[in-house]
Amino acid sequence: MTDYEAATAFLGEWEPFQQQVFFLLCLSIIPNGLNALAIVFLADSPPHRCIIPAHVNLTDAWRNSSIPLEEESHGGALVPSKCSRYKLGDVLSFSDRGLLPGVDVNLSNVATEGCLDGWEYDRSVYTSTIVSEWNLVCDDRWKTPLTSSLFFSGVLAGSFISGQFSDRYGRKIVLFVTMAIQTVFTFIQVFSPSWVVFCAVHFIVGVGQASNYVAAFVLGTEILGPRVRTIFSTMGVCIFFGVGYMLLPLFAFFIRDWRMLLLGLTLPGFLFVPFWWFIPESPRWLLSQGRVEEAEAIMRAAAKKNKIKPPPVIFHPLQKELQSEQRRAHNICDLLRSRNIRWISVTLWLVWNTLTMAYFALSLNTANLHGNAYFNCFLSALVEIPAYILSWIMFRWCSRRLSLSSALFMGGLFLLFVQLIPANLIYLAITLEMMGKFAVTTAFAIVYAYTAELYPTVLRNTALGACSMASRIGSIISPYFIYLRSYSVSLPYILMGSLTVLSGLLSLLLPESFGMPLPDTITHMQHFPG
């Protein structure tokens, strides 16, 4: 086979066919941005306190004093307890005897009990969340981070199977099947009768979530020419993901009930059904399977759309080396088979793991930041747009290895600096956190495209799926990094910052791919310099 890019150069770089593929694949990413972090609003915990039943005959003084005051964990101010109340029998006895709280009765000597009659929630921000519907507070608060972890476990499972399916059955079929899984099961989730059912369906939504992102990413990388590919892989899909992410707080602001919010997030997915007739299969993948006629048919249709006359023969017969390797079925074991590819794979898995952990922990933490949760989420999404533009600039003109390493290193430093900010300088701490998110997002966009360049066509989707799969360990534990805030506010930043800096140093061991053609076979891969 002649070099693929030379054989398809007659199509041009940015003609109607390429524009159609570019924008349709980018648009297919928007639902991912909407759904990936919806749990920030679906599972936010509104202010709450124990219910004092209305039928209990208490004086106003005792009803107002029935909840003990506790020190706030982060500020030291006294606030009503979220998980206990004074023993109702004792309070009723004091009220019946006409005693006054704090005057006739020392409240510190009154016994307390749990919220035996349930909780009442502040409805000023949310009409309903899964936390308020199923009382995921106090002794059951561990269920909230577990809900997010189960979603990312689904992403892990989807990454494991979709990459291999995509390399075996095609990019296009996997893209649309996983989009359908995400959309249909998000709709089913609306009718969840319990937390257990919600989590089970949330897991399946996760299976579709990252799988269609990776499939769309690889499909665009393989169809588009070198210059447009760089824009698509670093800025294109990422900006459209960011647009979806920015739309999330807008949806959540106007839809305050979690079931209706999920229904609203489902609807955009159904708009992408017609895309099946406009997005082609990857000709590179078809050639790797020996399906030359189908690949040529797509190229001729593209030439017709671009109003260009194609050559009589586009793809010459496969060379024996390529024929034997590309027609052989590849699987995830090939990522560890030789010493060179093994070291590249292990290094990338560690880098991806840290990046995903930091990215999702910072994104999930927006609900805990000072100020309006909707604005903080929008701000967290907004900083991603310039980060994606910077990633494209760095990817276009700079070393891949140095770009990734510097972004990781700076992100880690910003997060380490957060803990040094005095408690009264809240907005400076938020600024540093957003700068950390900016750097981590830049690195995330770079590592996707960098990984696609390092692996050959026969393994590209499997490799991206494996990296995505390995990174899900980071995303699965990321909710628990936020959970550590209940013990120490600075602990999550120390851990995230340290791991991100170390990953920045580790990424310097990867081979350089700047200015290199995409490898088609394993033998064409760059060598691991470490």
Side-chain angles (χ1 to χ4, degrees):
M1 182 177 70
T2 58
D3 175 71
Y4 178 86
E5 280 153 14
T8 57
F10 72 92
L11 281 176
E13 282 269 341
W14 188 239
E15 303 300 329
F17 171 74
Q18 290 91 339
Q19 292 168 18
Q20 176 178 297
V21 170
F22 183 100
F23 287 112
L24 292 185
L25 286 175
C26 286
L27 285 169
S28 75
I29 300 297
I30 289 178
N32 290 62
L34 276 170
N35 287 282
L37 294 157
I39 200 70
V40 168
F41 298 107
L42 298 174
D44 199 8
S45 183
H48 54 275
R49 54 184 280 178
C50 295
I51 286 178
I52 307 299
H55 62 81
V56 177
N57 189 20
L58 295 176
T59 63
D60 289 343
W62 276 107
R63 189 169 286 279
N64 293 334
S65 302
S66 56
I67 306 296
L69 298 178
E70 296 177 347
E71 272 194 20
E72 199 175 22
S73 57
H74 309 319
L78 289 176
V79 294
S81 172
K82 295 179 178 180
C83 300
S84 63
R85 66 185 185 189
Y86 290 120
K87 208 164 185 179
L88 202 55
D90 294 348
V91 170
L92 187 58
S93 171
F94 297 141
S95 178
D96 290 343
R97 287 154 55 192
L99 303 177
L100 292 174
V103 178
D104 302 312
V105 178
N106 184 351
L107 293 176
S108 61
N109 295 329
V110 180
T112 59
E113 62 185 5
C115 299
L116 304 181
D117 296 295
W119 291 261
E120 56 182 348
Y121 295 90
D122 182 353
R123 309 282 178 182
S124 62
V125 177
Y126 303 104
T127 305
S128 167
T129 70
I130 65 168
V131 172
S132 62
E133 177 141 344
W134 294 311
N135 292 324
L136 308 183
V137 293
C138 301
D139 291 342
D140 283 339
R141 64 184 177 140
W142 58 270
K143 292 180 177 178
T144 303
L146 182 60
T147 305
S148 298
S149 292
L150 288 170
F151 171 79
F152 291 122
S153 298
V155 174
L156 168 63
S159 302
F160 181 73
I161 59 174
S162 69
Q164 295 185 71
F165 280 175
S166 184
D167 280 338
R168 183 160 295 187
Y169 302 110
R171 298 6 180 166
K172 180 179 176 178
I173 186 72
V174 170
L175 170 63
F176 283 92
V177 166
T178 52
M179 283 175 68
I181 288 172
Q182 179 177 317
T183 302
V184 171
F185 280 89
T186 302
F187 180 73
I188 293 171
Q189 211 173 5
V190 173
F191 307 100
S192 302
S194 67
W195 175 75
V196 173
V197 174
F198 179 91
C199 287
V201 181
H202 206 38
F203 175 88
I204 300 172
V205 172
V207 170
Q209 169 69 33
S211 306
N212 66 52
Y213 186 97
V214 172
F217 182 88
V218 172
L219 189 53
T221 300
E222 293 184 348
I223 291 177
L224 299 169
R227 289 187 181 179
V228 180
R229 180 195 309 139
T230 301
I231 300 172
F232 173 82
S233 58
T234 53
M235 195 167 62
V237 289
C238 297
I239 283 182
F240 279 78
F241 178 90
V243 168
Y245 186 10
M246 284 194 292
L247 289 173
L248 170 63
L250 188 66
F251 272 65
F253 181 79
F254 289 106
I255 309 173
R256 303 297 180 99
D257 176 81
W258 73 268
R259 292 184 191 270
M260 291 299 102
L261 175 58
L262 271 179
L263 188 61
L265 298 179
T266 301
L267 297 177
F270 291 105
L271 302 177
F272 296 102
V273 174
F275 284 25
W276 173 268
W277 289 276
F278 298 98
I279 296 176
E281 182 55 272
S282 165
R284 275 184 190 268
W285 177 81
L286 290 169
L287 289 171
S288 74
Q289 304 300 302
R291 294 158 63 176
V292 180
E293 294 82 4
E294 294 173 62
E296 286 218 358
I298 290 171
M299 289 293 100
R300 293 188 189 283
K304 184 178 179 182
K305 185 171 186 63
N306 292 352
K307 298 185 171 134
I308 295 169
K309 186 176 180 181
V313 178
I314 299 173
F315 301 113
H316 295 286
L318 296 173
Q319 296 171 1
K320 288 183 181 178
E321 174 209 342
L322 300 184
Q323 188 174 25
S324 61
E325 178 163 356
Q326 292 191 327
R327 285 190 179 177
R328 180 171 73 82
H330 289 274
N331 57 50
I332 200 167
C333 296
D334 289 303
L335 299 178
L336 298 170
R337 204 173 297 281
S338 70
R339 184 177 181 277
N340 183 56
I341 197 171
R342 180 166 57 247
W343 278 110
I344 290 174
S345 297
V346 170
T347 304
L348 280 171
W349 292 345
L350 291 171
V351 170
W352 274 68
N353 193 30
T354 304
L355 260 176
T356 312
M357 176 271 297
Y359 175 83
F360 283 106
L362 290 170
S363 299
L364 293 170
N365 193 44
T366 52
N368 298 316
L369 297 178
H370 181 78
N372 184 283
Y374 300 103
F375 177 75
N376 288 335
C377 182
F378 179 79
L379 188 62
S380 180
L382 185 64
V383 299
E384 294 194 5
I385 303 302
Y388 295 137
I389 295 171
L390 177 62
S391 73
W392 169 72
I393 293 170
M394 294 174 79
F395 212 77
R396 180 76 176 81
W397 285 288
C398 304
S399 157
R400 312 297 195 232
R401 185 168 50 194
L402 293 179
S403 297
L404 177 61
S405 179
S406 59
L408 280 165
F409 195 79
M410 291 305 298
L413 286 181
F414 285 132
L415 296 178
L416 287 171
F417 288 152
V418 170
Q419 58 166 325
L420 304 176
I421 304 302
N424 60 319
L425 299 177
I426 294 169
Y427 293 104
L428 179 58
I430 292 176
T431 301
L432 278 176
E433 182 165 339
M434 290 302 165
M435 289 172 74
K437 174 76 183 295
F438 172 85
V440 166
T441 303
T442 303
F444 214 153
I446 290 170
V447 81
Y448 250 102
Y450 188 15
T451 301
E453 286 190 346
L454 287 176
Y455 286 101
T457 302
V458 292
L459 272 174
R460 190 167 294 117
N461 217 90
T462 295
L464 270 172
C467 286
S468 181
M469 179 181 71
S471 73
R472 295 313 151 191
I473 298 169
S475 59
I476 288 167
I477 65 173
S478 63
Y480 292 96
F481 272 76
I482 309 307
Y483 194 64
L484 289 173
R485 286 176 59 93
S486 57
Y487 301 101
S488 169
V489 177
S490 60
L491 189 55
Y493 299 110
I494 294 170
L495 288 173
M496 285 189 289
S498 302
L499 290 170
T500 306
V501 166
L502 288 173
S503 290
L505 298 175
L506 182 65
S507 65
L508 291 171
L509 294 174
L510 291 167
E512 185 55 70
S513 64
F514 181 54
M516 307 286 185
L518 280 181
D520 283 312
T521 69
I522 292 172
T523 54
H524 292 164
M525 287 182 68
Q526 303 298 318
H527 292 289
F528 185 77

